[in-house]
Amino acid sequence: MPSSAKLTQGSTFKHVVTMSVTSALGLMCMFLVDLVDMLFLSMLGEKEAVAAVGYASTIMFFTVSLSIAISIAATALVSRAIGERNLELAKRRAVNVLAFGILFSSLVVWFLWPKIPHILFFIGATGRALDLATGYLQILILGMPAVMIGMIGSGIMRALGDAKRAMYATMIGGLVNAVLDPIFIFAFGLGVDGAAIASLLARFSMVAVSYYGVVHVHKMLGEFDLMDFFKDVRCIAVIAVPAMLTNMSSPLANAIVMEHTASFGDDAVAAVAIIGRIIPVIFGGLFALSGAVGPILGQNYGAGRFDRMHQTISSAVIYALGYCFLLCWALYALQDWLVVVFNASPASADLIRFFATFVSFSFFFQSLLFIAIATFNNLGRPLHSTLLNFGRATIGTWPLIIVFSWFMGAEGILFGQAVGSVIFGVLGLYMARNYIVELEEKEAKEILPSGSATGFDEMI
């Protein structure tokens, strides 16, 4: 059980690195298995299988994004209560966010499952690739409630500052998937369906690990009370719904990219699918930034430590810059090896090399957007995150990839995305820094009586 708000003490850079690296190891392990999925399926010698998983992953990214959005609500609400040293409120919010997530994810599965073939066809899947993608997705989407529980459990543990156990849920899920993949794909001869079954079983392993950490180690789930749940639904929705819209914008951008890529043929689709598997593995430490920065900001906001909030933003930017320099160089050096490993066609290989050489460093600017999103989600302005990410997904993606693909072909799709990341990353960081200054000035001008609510509390 947490005894103190540990993220309000010590070096902010150390907290950013610890929270990011542990979260990244878990995420990268999970995404590494997706990369191995693609590798195994490429060994089948059927490019439609690789393209099928690329199409299906666009939809799966959407469902995982919804799970992450609700975990953001768990992290924001629990970390703020911990910063205020209100343990009973933290426990009540934890159990109610979990109930909200289970109910919501079950409804999503019920709604999406019969519509899967039509959605895949809409984003460009046809023929054999459509059939394989449909079978893969109809199996895998059944595990969405398990993913939701695992993500929320990890979010609660991150809110407590327990980055290590938060990592275990996704890491063990990834390891289970890695063990089961070759068994179901090759030993049982199930191909694409085998990869889906292995991933489905791995998602249920995440539930057991998260349950152990949240319930047995931290004892952070209060008793479920229906009236308390109805009281908390509004404060959960105020954060979760804009966060869902924010996270949905990324799969929207991916769907736009995949639909436009389809016009360049299966080789281009396969290349984008491979790149889509490489990105989370290489840049997992950046994707983890939002989940790492959020709890630190939340606890320090609850404690009124604005100086540490400014330090947290600066520490996150320094971390992202160093990470990108190191990993982009590694990606550049490994590009030929990746082409060989994935048995990429010449056309696919050209796109992979173009990404590794010219596009990869744009993820530093995307990390600035992640920092801004974490700031707004955890400090009471989730709609700002929604507007930023939807801006990047729409005007920062669609017109740019169309314009650049006219001049550069399929490579223009990747370059257009990079330009959009630069624009919205810089804008997002500027807005986030100004918002913290605004909160600090508001706090300094107001003399609140003991026990009165801040603006964030009033909002939720």
Side-chain angles (χ1 to χ4, degrees):
M1 185 178 297
S3 57
S4 65
K6 63 187 293 185
L7 300 178
T8 62
Q9 307 162 30
S11 166
T12 57
F13 185 77
K14 180 180 177 182
H15 287 318
V16 167
V17 172
T18 300
M19 297 284 283
S20 296
V21 169
T22 50
S23 180
L25 287 173
L27 286 173
M28 288 166 70
C29 183
M30 184 170 67
F31 288 125
L32 181 60
V33 174
D34 285 341
L35 189 63
V36 172
D37 271 353
M38 192 72 74
L39 175 61
F40 285 149
L41 293 173
S42 68
M43 292 178 182
L44 297 175
E46 187 178 10
K47 69 179 181 182
E48 289 83 3
V50 178
V53 176
Y55 286 119
S57 295
T58 302
I59 310 304
M60 282 308 303
F61 188 42
F62 163 77
T63 62
V64 171
S65 294
L66 295 179
S67 300
I68 292 173
I70 298 181
S71 77
I72 288 170
T75 300
L77 294 171
V78 173
S79 66
R80 177 150 172 82
I82 292 297
E84 295 172 342
R85 301 183 185 276
N86 190 339
L87 184 58
E88 290 307 312
L89 177 61
K91 292 167 69 173
R92 190 186 92 186
R93 293 274 169 83
V95 72
N96 288 336
V97 174
L98 187 61
F100 183 94
I102 293 171
L103 176 62
F104 179 79
S105 59
S106 299
L107 290 173
V108 171
V109 172
W110 173 79
F111 177 78
L112 283 183
W113 198 90
K115 298 176 173 60
I116 286 172
H118 307 290
I119 297 171
L120 290 169
F121 180 78
F122 176 76
I123 64 173
T126 57
R128 174 71 171 159
L130 174 61
D131 294 337
L132 291 173
T134 298
Y136 179 87
L137 196 52
Q138 286 183 333
I139 294 170
L140 198 53
I141 200 172
L142 297 175
M144 185 182 173
V147 174
M148 182 72 74
I149 295 171
M151 291 289 187
I152 292 173
S154 293
I156 292 169
M157 288 185 280
R158 281 196 301 273
L160 302 174
D162 189 354
K164 182 174 67 174
R165 287 191 178 88
M167 170 187 71
Y168 289 158
T170 47
M171 180 172 283
I172 290 177
L175 292 174
V176 170
N177 202 342
V179 171
L180 295 180
D181 256 340
I183 296 173
F184 283 94
I185 293 173
F186 298 114
F188 293 164
L190 295 176
V192 173
D193 287 346
I197 294 170
S199 297
L200 177 64
L201 295 175
R203 279 156 168 73
F204 286 101
S205 71
M206 293 173 59
V207 175
V209 178
S210 295
Y211 181 85
Y212 177 78
V214 172
V215 176
H216 290 286
V217 176
H218 293 291
K219 298 179 174 58
M220 272 302 295
L221 287 188
E223 292 185 7
F224 179 77
D225 182 276
L226 189 60
M227 295 308 297
D228 283 342
F229 175 74
F230 287 133
K231 289 177 184 177
D232 284 344
V233 162
R234 180 177 178 272
C235 68
I236 295 168
V238 162
I239 299 173
V241 172
M244 285 180 199
L245 294 174
T246 301
N247 286 350
M248 283 168 59
S249 63
S250 293
L252 171 63
N254 289 344
I256 291 171
V257 169
M258 189 62 72
E259 188 274 336
H260 198 66
T261 303
S263 65
F264 290 92
D266 282 345
D267 285 333
V269 171
V272 170
I274 292 169
I275 291 169
R277 286 300 191 275
I278 293 170
I279 286 172
V281 175
I282 296 293
F283 297 108
L286 299 181
F287 287 108
L289 258 183
S290 185
V293 171
I296 304 172
L297 291 174
Q299 283 197 15
N300 283 285
Y301 187 36
R305 293 294 307 273
F306 289 97
D307 58 326
R308 291 181 60 81
M309 293 164 66
H310 288 295
Q311 292 170 19
T312 298
I313 298 296
S314 297
S315 297
V317 173
I318 293 169
Y319 164 83
L321 183 62
Y323 186 98
C324 272
F325 270 121
L326 180 63
L327 272 296
C328 289
W329 176 85
L331 181 60
Y332 176 79
L334 292 172
Q335 59 181 286
D336 290 333
W337 178 79
L338 290 170
V339 167
V340 173
V341 165
F342 285 100
N343 195 26
S345 67
S348 296
D350 288 342
L351 283 176
I352 294 170
R353 290 192 179 98
F354 181 80
F355 172 80
T357 303
F358 299 107
V359 173
S360 59
F361 194 75
S362 66
F363 275 84
F364 167 69
F365 296 93
Q366 194 159 330
S367 72
L368 302 184
L369 184 60
F370 297 154
I371 295 168
I373 287 170
T375 301
F376 292 122
N377 281 339
N378 286 271
L379 302 182
R381 290 285 177 86
L383 283 175
H384 282 45
S385 298
T386 303
L387 292 174
L388 279 170
N389 227 23
F390 260 101
R392 184 191 65 85
T394 52
I395 62 175
T397 298
W398 185 55
L400 292 173
I401 65 174
I402 289 177
V403 170
F404 283 106
S405 64
W406 280 344
F407 300 101
M408 303 171 64
E411 292 176 347
I413 296 174
L414 301 177
F415 192 76
Q417 283 184 289
V419 173
S421 294
V422 172
I423 294 170
F424 280 88
V426 172
L427 175 63
L429 184 67
Y430 173 79
M431 291 173 60
R433 284 192 177 278
N434 281 355
Y435 179 55
I436 294 177
V437 171
E438 179 186 326
L439 289 175
E440 186 175 14
E441 291 175 348
K442 181 179 180 181
E443 184 83 4
K445 290 177 181 177
E446 293 178 355
I447 301 176
L448 297 175
S450 178
S452 64
T454 63
F456 184 85
D457 286 325
E458 291 169 350
M459 186 194 72
I460 64 174

